[in-house]
Amino acid sequence: MINTMECAVDAQSLISISLRKIHNSRTQRGGIKLHKNLLVSYVLRNARQVYMNEKYAEIYRMQQYEEVMTVCNEIQELNPLDLAEDCEEQSGDCCGNDGVSEPASLCCALLPVSHLTAVQSAHIQAPSACSAPLSLQSDEVCKETEPSFYRSCCAEAYPVSNWDFSTVNNNLHCNKTTVLDLDTHVVTTVENGYLHQDCCASFQQCCQGAQSPAKKRKVDFEYYISDIEEVPDFTPCKRAKFEDCSYANSEHLDTSNISNLISIFGSGFSGLVSRQADFEQALNGQFCSKQALASLGAWTRAIVAF
Amino acid sequence: MMFDANTGGGSNDVQWCFSQVKGAIDDDVAEADIISTVEFNHSGELLATGDKGGRVVIFQQEIENKSQPQCRSEYNVYSTFQSHEPEFDYLKSLEIEEKINKIRWLPQKNAAQFLLSTNDKTIKLWKISERDKRPEGYNLKEEDGRYIDPNTVTALRVPVFRPMDLMVEASPRRVFANAHTYHINSISINSDHETYLSADDLRINLWHQEITDRSFNIVDIKPANMEELTEVITAAEFHPHQCNTFVYSSSKGTIRLCDMRASALCDTHSKLFEEPEDPSNRSFFSEIISSISDVKFSHNGRYMMTRDYLSVKIWDLNMESRPVETYQVHEYLRNKLCSLYENDCIFDKFECCWNGNDSVVMTGSYNNFFRMFDRGQRRDVTLEASREGSKPQQVLKPRKVCADGKRKKDEISVDSLDFNKKILHTAWHPQDNVIAVATTNNLYIFQDKVN
């Protein structure tokens, strides 16, 4: 594991610096230095590794948090008597076209009254929160996911004992929490503060879908990460089939340059000495960096001197 | 301990004194004047330097002045010539730098001296010869070359050789070209005195000194698909005594020893020298700092020394698993690697050298510091090449770099180091305690204090 604490420079700035070095080497006197570029590509690979690990962890954490909030808010909204019916119905809408999650029928631990406003605001956020991960995906990917994908909430059980089960909202009599562990794909139900694992019939869809959504999610993260780096006015290219997405984070400064430079290497390091036309096209932002960054492992070590 | 208490050369016993400095004084360094290689010949009488402008300057040690035994004789300019010119490869649209990457002296066979000099693409064999006599007394020619009208000649004489002012001529005798696709980083002359090798990033070629139109490729590490490239060759050298043996180092920190008797192509090594990486030191820059920048056999042929960014390692040729000695050159730079990466200093290629009896090794550092490690006494010293310490016979004061914040008097803190002042090239006289240390554009000569 790379020790990232050695300096304050973060992985992304290292990527930026490295790409700049590679770019500058093309115009250096004496031709491209194979040795130096190879070493720079190693730094690039290492920085990318760290960057993606950090992003993955961050998104995973964010995902967990949002699911927690989502489920909690759902509990706020639902009439407990409608739980059984709404369960499957709602879950189908979760990942629907509108991107807004109708509160899924998953049970959640109840929130104390004092948190009601927070829940409400969180509820407002919840659709966006639920869809925030969605916004990082392409629509295409979103549609492919199992509906029950977003019914899961946090992987860790709540400290249910801290929660106040009697609330102003008479909806809140549910005392069950169902948890889907994304790593082990195990559905766990917390009842009255007691934890036991089950895979109840009403959530069967969830369980069955547990495998693929989790896997797909991991795959999607790679796409998320590359998305974050793109400029807001990204236009799709011919190579990748991803659609345009909006971005929560838009990195300014070198991002466009990074994207453009990364895109040069989209099909292997032969991009370093690709034709002038390709280079100009890249500068115009016609290329897509997602694929490039995703395939970084393949090309980082490929250097064509001549 | 490998050796006895050192017999002349130990950094502990020796007090190093300033002897000379060559080169421009002003701080504004012309790029062409940047010294790129330094090499003593086999007797130590001649010292050659190459620079970025493609020139070679040879200094000669004057015959020792017996009336002044307290100082060894000085090195004075012997010959200067333009070895390489900038070229342009029209096919690849690339400029070829004239910078001299390496100079290697051939063993002397006759009155003339021969050396090989190379830039990125072309190796040249130069003959350096003296002329101290010239024929005089021609019948049909004046001394200045004008022809004499035969009708005016009344008597004939035999021309004779008369002494003249010494003239040193350098003439290119062979040009070894078009054999390397990538940048040449090393040349090494074989102990058979007939062949030599040249190495670029991916290939090593074997030449005969007399034959320029062909060479044999003996190592080729170019992968079928360049996208799979993981390492390049960084240095190569022939064994000092075994004409069949050579080593080459890689950017991955490995050294391969090859035996040319085993097969025509030495892609498969006979020995692989590699030290496992310390996982606790893993960083973004692990690959860069483990890349070997220089490899040198000891004079006795039993050991070899490698230089990577932070350390010098001595390897026993009989043990491949790890070096027998490791010396930290500037460990205080380990947590500065980010900055050094940004300013490109992390790519600096430091060389290293042995003293005459292999008891001390030397290498350069930043701030015009250079380091000596006494293998026998397990001591090291840091010295500085600067004009401030440049009074004749002035003893060099050891320097110390302070890694933490508690700087003592006369110590220099890491943050004060000048990373533009780097000593990449050093050379040690084959017999005596005389060293040549190249700063950016100056050549310093130090010698031990003779009592």
Side-chain angles (χ1 to χ4, degrees):
Chain A
M1 197 59 192
I2 292 172
N3 176 17
T4 57
M5 300 304 291
E6 62 166 1
C7 60
V9 175
D10 65 351
Q12 189 165 2
S13 69
L14 263 185
I15 291 172
S16 166
I17 292 167
S18 302
L19 289 172
R20 203 175 299 128
K21 286 186 193 296
I22 292 172
H23 178 60
N24 291 340
S25 76
R26 297 182 67 173
T27 52
Q28 256 173 7
R29 199 168 165 248
I32 296 171
K33 292 187 173 35
L34 188 63
H35 183 200
K36 182 177 176 183
N37 279 276
L38 180 67
L39 297 178
V40 169
S41 74
Y42 274 116
V43 175
L44 205 46
R45 185 194 65 171
N46 294 338
R48 170 200 177 242
Q49 206 174 340
V50 167
Y51 179 76
M52 287 179 67
N53 288 343
E54 286 173 357
K55 280 295 168 190
Y56 183 90
E58 186 188 314
I59 289 169
Y60 186 67
R61 275 194 304 271
M62 198 166 64
Q63 194 80 13
Q64 284 182 307
Y65 173 76
E66 296 306 342
E67 283 162 2
V68 167
M69 296 311 299
T70 304
V71 172
C72 294
N73 296 327
E74 287 159 8
I75 296 298
Q76 281 293 106
E77 296 296 314
L78 284 176
N79 185 332
L81 297 174
D82 295 332
L83 273 176
E85 295 167 22
D86 292 344
C87 193
E88 290 170 19
E89 186 185 324
Q90 299 284 0
S91 63
D93 292 337
C94 176
C95 190
N97 292 335
D98 56 350
V100 175
S101 63
E102 291 294 311
S105 57
L106 279 177
C107 305
C108 180
L110 304 174
L111 292 174
V113 176
S114 56
H115 293 297
L116 195 58
T117 27
V119 168
Q120 282 179 342
S121 57
H123 171 65
I124 295 164
Q125 288 173 11
S128 57
C130 176
S131 61
L134 286 179
S135 72
L136 295 174
Q137 307 168 26
S138 65
D139 291 337
E140 184 185 3
V141 172
C142 184
K143 281 166 191 153
E144 288 172 358
T145 3
E146 293 292 327
S148 56
F149 182 50
Y150 296 101
R151 292 173 60 208
S152 54
C153 52
C154 69
E156 294 167 21
Y158 294 110
V160 291
S161 55
N162 295 337
W163 296 48
D164 186 0
F165 283 83
S166 62
T167 64
V168 171
N169 192 332
N170 55 12
N171 290 338
L172 306 175
H173 285 298
C174 176
N175 53 10
K176 269 190 183 179
T177 305
T178 304
V179 173
L180 168 66
D181 186 328
L182 293 178
D183 286 327
T184 61
H185 311 149
V186 170
V187 177
T188 310
T189 305
V190 179
E191 196 164 8
N192 290 334
Y194 293 98
L195 191 71
H196 53 104
Q197 293 181 343
D198 59 5
C199 193
C200 45
S202 59
F203 298 111
Q204 198 160 11
Q205 198 177 7
C206 173
C207 294
Q208 282 171 354
Q211 287 283 343
S212 44
K215 274 186 193 164
K216 196 176 285 271
R217 169 174 292 211
K218 284 194 170 84
V219 169
D220 293 341
F221 280 139
E222 287 196 30
Y223 302 146
Y224 300 161
I225 288 154
S226 52
D227 279 5
I228 286 165
E229 285 201 340
E230 289 176 358
V231 290
D233 59 349
F234 158 81
T235 55
C237 66
K238 285 178 188 171
R239 284 192 208 164
K241 294 190 172 54
F242 307 109
E243 299 178 21
D244 198 353
C245 320
S246 60
Y247 308 94
N249 310 321
S250 61
E251 303 284 336
H252 57 104
L253 47 110
D254 291 321
T255 307
S256 60
N257 292 333
I258 294 172
S259 310
N260 293 334
L261 288 173
I262 292 176
S263 69
I264 294 170
F265 311 132
S267 63
F269 218 88
S270 51
L272 182 65
V273 288
S274 63
R275 289 175 292 281
Q276 190 65 18
D278 289 343
F279 185 56
E280 283 164 0
Q281 200 179 7
L283 287 176
N284 293 334
Q286 293 298 315
F287 274 60
C288 144
S289 71
K290 279 192 243 196
Q291 185 186 9
L293 195 58
S295 64
L296 208 69
W299 63 256
T300 48
R301 291 172 301 175
I303 296 172
V304 177
F306 298 104
Chain B
M1 298 291 173
M2 250 58 72
F3 293 100
D4 302 23
N6 66 88
T7 51
S11 61
N12 189 39
D13 295 337
V14 174
Q15 280 191 301
W16 290 98
C17 309
F18 170 82
S19 175
Q20 294 171 274
V21 59
K22 309 285 188 190
I25 298 173
D26 56 337
D27 290 331
D28 195 20
V29 178
E31 188 158 337
D33 293 339
I34 295 173
I35 297 171
S36 52
T37 184
V38 180
E39 187 82 358
F40 279 101
N41 76 335
H42 294 276
S43 65
E45 182 201 357
L46 297 175
L47 175 61
T49 62
D51 64 23
K52 253 191 147 185
R55 292 166 302 201
V56 172
V57 180
I58 301 175
F59 302 91
Q60 183 191 40
Q61 193 179 31
E62 296 296 328
I63 297 166
E64 204 165 310
N65 193 338
K66 293 206 167 29
S67 65
Q68 283 183 306
Q70 65 268 24
C71 66
R72 281 203 188 79
S73 26
E74 293 189 336
Y75 283 84
N76 296 317
V77 176
Y78 180 64
S79 174
T80 305
F81 56 92
Q82 187 76 32
S83 172
H84 287 73
E85 298 275 1
E87 289 173 55
F88 197 81
D89 183 338
Y90 293 97
L91 208 59
K92 291 171 186 160
S93 231
L94 287 174
E95 191 176 2
I96 300 167
E97 274 191 289
E98 67 275 29
K99 174 170 76 91
I100 308 296
N101 292 336
K102 282 289 184 313
I103 289 173
R104 290 286 183 263
W105 289 95
L106 268 63
Q108 192 171 12
K109 286 180 189 169
N110 50 38
Q113 301 278 357
F114 289 86
L115 61 80
L116 284 175
S117 69
T118 184
N119 68 349
D120 284 339
K121 295 289 182 189
T122 304
I123 306 143
K124 293 187 183 178
L125 176 69
W126 288 88
K127 176 181 177 184
I128 296 102
S129 51
E130 293 180 359
R131 189 193 292 268
D132 59 358
K133 297 186 275 286
R134 67 162 177 226
E136 286 179 14
Y138 284 103
N139 293 290
L140 292 175
K141 218 166 40 171
E142 299 279 13
E143 296 304 326
D144 57 8
R146 281 179 303 140
Y147 279 101
I148 296 172
D149 182 358
N151 298 324
T152 63
V153 174
T154 55
L156 289 178
R157 55 186 175 169
V158 178
V160 292
F161 276 104
R162 297 232 184 270
M164 59 178 265
D165 291 338
L166 178 67
M167 194 166 70
V168 181
E169 297 171 326
S171 57
R173 306 301 285 181
R174 303 275 187 276
V175 177
F176 305 91
N178 303 320
H180 286 279
T181 309
Y182 301 96
H183 295 119
I184 296 174
N185 51 57
S186 309
I187 47 175
S188 177
I189 295 167
N190 203 347
S191 53
D192 65 4
H193 298 180
E194 283 188 352
T195 57
Y196 73 94
L197 64 77
S198 58
D200 66 26
D201 292 321
L202 296 179
R203 298 191 179 98
I204 300 179
N205 293 334
L206 182 71
W207 301 83
H208 192 282
Q209 290 168 16
E210 299 294 326
I211 299 167
T212 59
D213 61 355
R214 77 190 73 176
S215 70
F216 292 97
N217 173 251
I218 51 177
V219 172
D220 188 341
I221 65 167
K222 184 178 179 183
N225 183 0
M226 276 299 274
E227 300 205 355
E228 295 161 16
L229 181 74
T230 57
E231 63 181 334
V232 296
I233 298 168
T234 53
E237 193 177 59
F238 265 119
H239 191 278
H241 311 310
Q242 297 167 14
C243 57
N244 53 286
T245 304
F246 66 93
V247 294
Y248 68 92
S249 60
S250 85
S251 55
K252 272 192 169 176
T254 63
I255 309 103
R256 286 173 176 80
L257 185 141
C258 300
D259 187 337
M260 294 196 292
R261 298 170 301 186
S263 71
L265 286 176
C266 299
D267 290 351
T268 312
H269 53 263
S270 299
K271 294 191 184 184
L272 175 67
F273 299 84
E274 189 175 15
E275 184 176 29
E277 188 194 343
D278 180 4
S280 65
N281 275 335
R282 185 103 186 96
S283 75
F284 288 115
F285 312 105
S286 293
E287 285 83 3
I288 300 186
I289 63 171
S290 64
S291 175
I292 292 173
S293 53
D294 195 16
V295 65
K296 291 267 174 41
F297 277 105
S298 62
H299 290 94
N300 60 19
R302 289 174 54 193
Y303 301 93
M304 64 179 175
M305 164 167 57
T306 57
R307 175 71 156 97
D308 51 63
Y309 190 65
L310 296 179
S311 67
V312 161
K313 294 178 182 175
I314 313 281
W315 302 78
D316 186 323
L317 293 188
N318 297 316
M319 186 164 80
E320 299 166 59
S321 55
R322 64 178 191 281
V324 290
E325 295 154 39
T326 302
Y327 301 104
Q328 300 302 330
V329 181
H330 35 220
E331 183 67 13
Y332 46 79
L333 295 183
R334 190 178 286 275
N335 51 11
K336 304 281 179 197
L337 295 179
C338 289
S339 318
L340 295 167
Y341 179 71
E342 282 184 70
N343 64 17
D344 271 3
C345 283
I346 206 173
F347 300 106
D348 288 335
K349 293 181 187 173
F350 291 95
E351 292 176 4
C352 53
C353 60
W354 299 83
N355 75 335
N357 62 6
D358 302 331
S359 61
V360 185
V361 297
M362 173 167 66
T363 189
S365 179
Y366 293 104
N367 208 67
N368 281 349
F369 288 170
F370 58 99
R371 304 261 283 139
M372 288 184 188
F373 302 95
D374 188 325
R375 302 173 62 209
Q377 302 208 348
R378 289 286 179 176
R379 288 185 202 233
D380 61 87
V381 68
T382 305
L383 301 172
E384 183 179 358
S386 82
R387 297 233 174 214
E388 274 132 30
S390 57
K391 296 193 191 72
Q393 300 308 307
Q394 182 177 359
V395 174
L396 294 180
K397 197 171 121 185
R399 295 273 183 240
K400 196 143 166 49
V401 177
C402 162
D404 51 34
K406 306 163 199 168
R407 191 176 75 88
K408 297 193 191 95
K409 192 188 161 202
D410 288 343
E411 282 186 1
I412 295 155
S413 77
V414 181
D415 298 316
S416 311
L417 295 175
D418 187 344
F419 290 97
N420 290 320
K421 293 184 178 170
K422 53 192 87 171
I423 291 176
L424 303 175
H425 311 287
T426 59
W428 205 309
H429 191 285
Q431 277 109 38
D432 298 334
N433 274 338
V434 177
I435 55 176
V437 172
T439 59
T440 308
N441 64 334
N442 287 164
L443 183 73
Y444 286 78
I445 298 170
F446 303 105
Q447 57 192 40
D448 62 346
K449 194 176 174 69
V450 181
N451 295 314

